Amino acid sequence: LLIIVTNLFFLSISRRLRTRAIATTGLLLYVAAGAGCFFVNDIHVLLVMRALLGIGVGLIMPLSTGLLAYYFPPEEQARLMGLSAAMNQIGGVVATLLAGLLATIEWNYAFLVYLIGLIAVAMVWLWLPNEQLGSANKRGIPFEPRQLLKFHPSVVGMLLLMMIFFVFPTNFAIIAHQQTALSNQAVTMIMVGLDVVAFFVGIVFGTLMHWFRQPVKYIAPLFFLLGYASYLIPGVPMILIGSAFIGIANGVGVPYLNTIASIKGGKNSATTVMPLLSAALYLGQFLSPLVVMPLSHNLFGADLTAPYKVAILLCLVFLVQVWATRHFQSLPPKQ
């Protein structure tokens, strides 16, 4: 929730601070609030630390994609957005594995994984140019509603995509254990494997956009739908196929939405559309269980696979949203 609030104030922040100051502040908050939980043994203090962590992430996220639109021409942005998404995926895999190893020592050791952020702090000071991104935005309000109207196809798309994706991490382990005889280790490897699939898809995303510009917009909703439909058929093979499909959907969906938004937003993307996309991403993550679980119980009762059926319904909504609103702004010809 604090990520979302910070994103909505990003325009005001960018008018007062340069990129290096914003990135450094965000990363130091990320490291201090994340690793600082190692020393905490009280749930209330932990919640405060997580709120501070959210502010740090809220400062970092719009820059992580918005600067690609600021520094690079549109014809390069699809490839770079794919690489950015791929790094997010593999970073999550590495951090999760490290946190798991650290947690075998003691539960609070897992928080030390946030110290990785110090590497990013050093990279910012060595290589990030110190721009004033918000200088061209003269209005002094923290959030301009007209931006939401302008970029609503991408923002609503990101919200739906995250609501659909997070049905997987919040339900998969429990349902897989009850459907199959898979061990905890096997379930973990399948979940990690999904992120690895998304990583490789992100690597080749630029090529996909080059060769399949128009059909790419349908890949995420269709592959999510196929993935969750596969889970309705009992058996380990269908679980593996479904997880691969969901990895492909996530690996394409996030960079696609970032790419079309950055092309439409131009050089001001970091202070206009990217904070909105970041807010939609985390709002979707937050809302997913709050929406999916009540619908599961009300529509499908005690059915074990009810969350997957609700995800399929959301995929149909996502497909309609893409068809109704997405008119892809073609990338310039490859040079």
Side-chain angles (χ1 to χ4, degrees):
L1 292 177
L2 266 292
I3 294 172
I4 296 167
V5 172
T6 306
N7 287 157
L8 296 180
F9 280 86
F10 191 81
L11 172 58
S12 279
I13 294 168
S14 67
R15 295 182 71 246
R16 291 164 175 78
L17 299 175
R18 292 180 176 272
T19 51
R20 192 180 296 163
I22 296 172
T24 303
T25 302
L27 287 166
L28 289 177
L29 265 177
Y30 178 86
V31 172
C37 291
F38 172 80
F39 303 100
V40 176
N41 221 3
D42 180 90
I43 185 63
H44 301 98
V45 180
L46 279 172
L47 289 172
V48 172
M49 298 293 275
R50 302 312 276 181
L52 292 174
L53 181 77
I55 295 172
V57 175
L59 293 173
I60 298 165
M61 284 294 291
L63 292 179
S64 67
T65 48
L67 288 179
L68 297 179
Y70 187 84
Y71 286 115
F72 297 94
E75 60 267 21
E76 293 188 44
Q77 286 172 28
R79 179 179 65 86
L80 293 169
M81 291 296 181
L83 292 177
S84 175
M87 294 306 105
N88 283 339
Q89 295 292 340
I90 205 65
V93 171
V94 171
T96 301
L97 292 175
L98 285 176
L101 290 172
L102 289 167
T104 61
I105 304 171
E106 193 70 39
W107 71 270
N108 58 326
Y109 276 73
F111 290 111
L112 295 179
V113 76
Y114 286 100
L115 293 174
I116 294 174
L118 292 174
I119 299 172
V121 174
M123 294 172 70
V124 163
W125 277 93
L126 286 172
W127 292 302
L128 183 67
N130 202 19
E131 306 285 356
Q132 184 79 53
L133 294 181
S135 59
N137 297 287
K138 301 300 183 184
R139 298 178 65 175
I141 58 176
F143 167 62
E144 298 186 40
R146 63 187 177 87
Q147 299 295 348
L148 184 57
L149 294 175
K150 180 178 180 181
F151 298 112
H152 74 88
S154 297
V155 175
V156 174
M158 185 66 80
L159 177 69
L160 288 170
L161 188 148
M162 286 296 110
M163 288 180 66
I164 293 167
F165 171 72
F166 272 92
V167 173
F168 172 81
T170 53
N171 295 279
F172 177 77
I174 295 171
I175 296 176
H177 276 305
Q178 296 186 43
Q179 279 186 323
T180 68
L182 290 171
S183 65
N184 289 339
Q185 291 79 6
V187 171
T188 301
M189 290 308 298
I190 292 172
M191 296 182 77
V192 170
L194 183 150
D195 289 330
V196 173
V197 169
F199 164 76
F200 284 110
V201 172
I203 293 292
V204 301
F205 176 74
T207 303
L208 287 174
M209 286 289 282
H210 179 78
W211 291 107
F212 306 102
R213 298 184 183 188
Q214 293 296 333
V216 167
K217 61 188 174 184
Y218 294 110
I219 288 179
L222 284 174
F223 273 78
F224 273 133
L225 192 154
L226 291 172
Y228 287 115
S230 299
Y231 288 155
L232 300 181
I233 304 172
V236 174
M238 297 310 295
I239 285 178
L240 294 174
I241 291 170
S243 298
F245 282 160
I246 291 173
I248 292 169
N250 197 43
V252 170
V254 173
Y256 171 76
L257 291 170
N258 283 335
T259 298
I260 61 171
S262 69
I263 291 173
K264 190 171 183 179
K267 293 191 69 172
N268 287 329
S269 292
T271 57
T272 55
V273 64
M274 289 310 171
L276 293 176
L277 282 184
S278 176
L281 187 153
Y282 286 101
L283 183 61
Q285 176 180 338
F286 179 78
L287 290 178
S288 183
L290 300 180
V291 171
V292 171
M293 297 315 295
L295 285 177
S296 300
H297 293 305
N298 291 329
L299 295 178
F300 304 106
D303 187 343
L304 181 64
T305 60
Y308 297 153
K309 292 179 179 178
V310 173
I312 290 171
L313 295 178
L314 290 175
C315 289
L316 295 175
V317 174
F318 192 13
L319 266 173
V320 171
Q321 188 265 347
V322 169
W323 176 81
T325 64
R326 187 77 68 243
H327 299 286
F328 179 65
Q329 185 174 349
S330 298
L331 292 172
K334 188 176 180 181
Q335 299 299 316

